[in-house]
Amino acid sequence: MSTSHAIRHIRITPIAFRDPPLLNAAGIHEPWALRSIIEIETASGLVGINESYGDQPMLDALAKAAPALVGLSPWALNAMEQRVAALVAPPAQTASEFLGQQVSLAPGTHVSKTVAKVISAFEVAMLDLQGQLAQAPVVDLLGGAARDSVPFSAYLFYKYAEHIDQPYAPDAWGEALTPAQLVAQARRMIAQYGFQSIKLKGGALPPDQEAAGILALAQAFPGMPLRIDPNANWTVQTSLKVVRQLRGVLEYYEDPAPGLEGMAAVARAMEREGDVPLATNMVVTDFAEFRRNVDLGCPVKIVLSDHHYWGGLRATQRLATLCKTFDLGLSMHSNSHLGISLVAMTHLCASVPQLTYACDTHYPWQDEEVVEGGRLQFEQGSLRVPTTAGLGVTLDREALARLHDNYLHCGIRNRDDLGQMRKYDPGFTGRQPRF
Ligand SMILES: [Mg+2]
């Protein structure tokens, strides 16, 4: 075996895993969620791993950027960033120019995020290599653990009992369309994982029904922090009507209305009436948008970051510093994901002292895994920060092959919640804000 730790080879493996019929502002989840598994191998035979988006444009960008890494030291993160930025052409539009044109559930899918997403995909795998070389956990490379474990929230969804094109046995969660079913979903998730705060994905049912859902949760779980996230599917007027119905109940109010201007209008009206802070993963999704929020006097008080599109673990630490500077709260957004993303998030969040809220995770909605040892275990709603070298997880090769086979056969290459919803309701327009 060579003693050189220079990067020799990069493997990108698209995977697909089962995903329940979860409702949201855009429509409904398809039966399969896509991710990519990144492996970076050194001449000495070490392999650093990561997990990222698995849609076709991201796979194309990763393939285009991969040659930039060959010959680099795993320690050369700045050089990697420069090479990736040079190879992956910057988009014609900035993220800010997208505002008003489209409202996306998944800011990570904006083309404006391509460079940041690819950098993040490679950075985490290189940090995994660095950790193996230094025999230190990734959190130590980020400054050391400010906490031993990282809290996550119970992420509730309205959902159907099964997919319209159900290609496998229906999930065990059943239907959730009424307040009673929502409370039952929360009880089950909290019993299983021990979460100590609750988030409801809204924007799917009429707002009065969703407000009734939150009020039922407040009654069932007294004192539990509660959040609702309609993904900008409500007008400013509807946003204000709902927050009045939920007075005294919400921990924060996530992306009720579209655009930073819509959020600012909601914030101005709420200032006169109460003090529920606004949170976002839709209107502050990069550093330029962070600045716009500051220029408007910070209508958004809590930034839900996501290292997958903010440019990596170190970029998210820089965001944390900015949040502290402007007295903003910080937490983490999630998409459907498996254990590598979850553990990367855990190292990152452990390294950020002022992480003020339990993080989002879709993890309970997945029942497959790609890491050795299978599903990661929560303790009282938190994940313990790994203390072994690197990320602290390794690939289960058989599982990777199985999930790649899912990808080859599932027929999905780009996430399409709107198209999926039209199978149930051909007249569904996807117009936002809908309510
Ligand atoms: Mg959100």
Side-chain angles (χ1 to χ4, degrees):
M1 181 183 286
S2 162
T3 54
S4 166
H5 300 303
I7 291 168
R8 185 179 61 181
H9 189 62
I10 295 94
R11 267 187 304 280
I12 313 292
T13 309
I15 61 169
F17 46 84
R18 292 183 288 272
D19 201 22
L22 307 178
L23 294 160
N24 58 37
I28 188 166
H29 284 208
E30 294 163 281
W32 301 98
L34 306 181
R35 298 292 271 179
S36 57
I37 300 300
I38 295 102
E39 297 175 74
I40 299 183
E41 190 178 334
T42 65
S44 55
L46 297 177
V47 178
I49 62 172
N50 191 24
E51 172 187 340
S52 187
Y53 306 97
D55 55 287
Q56 193 59 51
M58 182 61 176
L59 296 175
D60 293 344
L62 287 168
K64 191 172 175 187
L69 271 65
V70 175
L72 275 185
S73 157
W75 298 96
L77 296 178
N78 290 330
M80 177 275 288
E81 293 189 7
Q82 285 170 357
R83 289 188 183 190
V84 167
L87 263 184
V88 182
Q93 285 180 304
T94 67
S96 302
E97 286 167 326
F98 273 83
L99 291 173
Q101 290 181 27
Q102 66 176 73
V103 178
S104 172
L105 285 185
T109 61
H110 289 174
V111 293
S112 63
K113 298 287 187 290
T114 303
V115 171
K117 288 189 300 183
V118 173
I119 284 173
S120 178
F122 292 159
E123 184 220 44
V124 174
M126 288 170 74
L127 286 169
D128 186 31
L129 282 172
Q130 290 180 15
Q132 294 174 47
L133 289 169
Q135 281 299 298
V138 165
V139 67
D140 281 4
L141 304 169
L142 299 172
R147 53 176 64 81
D148 296 332
S149 63
V150 172
F152 291 83
S153 62
Y155 197 159
L156 310 185
F157 279 81
Y158 290 109
K159 69 183 287 293
Y160 296 149
E162 50 189 277
H163 290 287
I164 196 164
D165 42 7
Q166 190 73 42
Y168 43 73
D171 67 79
W173 293 89
E175 179 185 87
L177 297 171
T178 68
Q181 289 173 323
L182 195 63
V183 168
Q185 186 187 94
R187 285 199 196 287
R188 179 187 176 130
M189 197 178 283
I190 287 168
Q192 207 171 332
Y193 294 90
F195 296 123
Q196 293 170 26
S197 52
I198 295 175
K199 164 173 174 165
L200 171 61
K201 175 60 74 183
L205 305 183
D208 284 348
Q209 290 180 37
E210 297 190 349
I214 288 284
L215 292 172
L217 291 167
Q219 203 163 34
F221 301 93
M224 180 88 76
L226 298 175
R227 312 139 179 195
I228 186 165
D229 173 16
N231 277 118
N233 211 11
W234 298 344
T235 63
V236 169
Q237 196 181 16
T238 301
S239 302
L240 291 171
K241 183 182 166 210
V242 173
V243 81
R244 285 170 192 141
Q245 289 172 284
L246 301 180
R247 181 158 295 152
V249 168
L250 291 180
E251 180 186 33
Y252 60 67
Y253 200 21
E254 181 175 342
D255 287 312
L260 188 53
E261 285 70 19
M263 292 286 274
V266 173
R268 276 194 303 276
M270 279 170 43
E271 227 166 66
R272 297 191 289 270
E273 306 174 19
D275 58 356
V276 181
L278 291 182
T280 190
N281 65 278
M282 296 180 76
V283 297
V284 180
T285 66
D286 59 27
F287 291 100
E289 291 176 350
F290 187 98
R291 181 175 169 162
R292 289 188 71 225
N293 184 48
V294 169
D295 288 345
L296 289 180
C298 294
V300 171
K301 300 293 186 205
I302 299 157
V303 178
L304 306 176
S305 177
D306 183 328
H307 70 269
H308 300 90
Y309 63 76
W310 273 90
L313 307 189
R314 296 181 312 143
T316 309
Q317 285 189 310
R318 292 193 283 272
L319 170 64
T321 304
L322 277 177
C323 286
K324 193 178 179 190
T325 305
F326 291 95
D327 204 21
L328 302 180
L330 179 69
S331 189
M332 299 286 161
H333 156 267
S334 110
N335 288 125
S336 303
H337 65 88
L338 296 180
I340 303 173
S341 281
L342 185 62
V343 84
M345 232 170 132
T346 302
H347 283 284
L348 167 63
C349 296
S351 79
V352 177
Q354 78 273 25
L355 190 85
T356 25
Y357 300 91
C359 301
D360 292 352
T361 180
H362 285 61
Y363 201 64
W365 294 110
Q366 264 61 69
D367 62 359
E368 298 184 82
E369 196 36 280
V370 72
V371 296
E372 272 180 22
R375 304 278 298 164
L376 303 180
Q377 298 299 316
F378 289 79
E379 295 168 31
Q380 295 174 330
S382 294
L383 263 188
R384 196 170 284 280
V385 184
T387 53
T388 50
L391 286 173
V393 288
T394 51
L395 280 175
D396 176 335
R397 296 272 159 202
E398 277 180 32
L400 181 65
R402 190 172 61 245
L403 298 184
H404 179 59
D405 198 56
N406 287 346
Y407 175 82
L408 294 176
H409 292 101
C410 74
I412 298 171
R413 291 297 176 266
N414 292 292
R415 178 178 170 178
D416 184 9
D417 293 21
L418 171 63
Q420 185 69 10
M421 183 51 104
R422 284 184 175 148
K423 295 179 187 173
Y424 299 76
D425 174 6
F428 184 80
T429 65
R431 185 180 58 87
Q432 297 180 4
R434 194 186 329 158
F435 302 108

